[in-house]
Amino acid sequence: MRELRIRLLAGVFVVAGVLSWAGARLWNSVGTLPSVPLAAPIVLALIAVVLLATALSIRARLKAQRERRPGAKGVDPLMAARAVVFGQASALVAALVSGMYGGTGAFLLESLDIPARRDQAIYAGFSVLAGVAVIAAAIFLERVCKLPEDDDRNTGATSAA
């Protein structure tokens, strides 16, 4: 598996943010701007918690296996690979969604004197923070599942534990 690149995630975030900001300006000139749902930061935060819990669980199981504790449950390589794929997909989607909400939030910063727009800007800001948490948890999960013998000299390929 290829390792997740921060530059790719940052690029997706920036492109989505710019397009979202331009779309919000255009949409606002035509009519009313669609609202940022309150559930957006909540769902992103839940995904971040699931990724972090998965990473911590795998890390604890790998540590117990390395220390040869009696009764230690090993980590199934296929399960670890699936966890990494889930983390990478979540990070890419979070970068896209965070960019969209970031662009919308940047547009909404122009009209913070309107209470409804201020609330939408706050929801957008929390969505961006939760998206960054998803990306951080996904990168941590990927690092936990990386085999010790893998290094950057092996054409950047990452294998799951």
Side-chain angles (χ1 to χ4, degrees), residues 3 5 146-159:
E3 200 170 303
R5 303 274 183 213
K146 190 173 183 179
L147 287 175
E149 61 266 9
D150 283 349
D151 57 13
D152 293 340
R153 291 176 282 148
N154 291 342
T155 65
T158 302
S159 297

Side-chain angles (χ1 to χ4, degrees), residues 4 51 81-93 134-135 137-139 141-142:
L4 200 56
L51 287 171
R82 287 179 181 154
V84 170
V85 169
F86 173 62
Q88 288 181 346
S90 298
L92 285 168
V93 170
V134 168
I135 292 169
I139 290 172
L141 174 62
E142 187 178 60

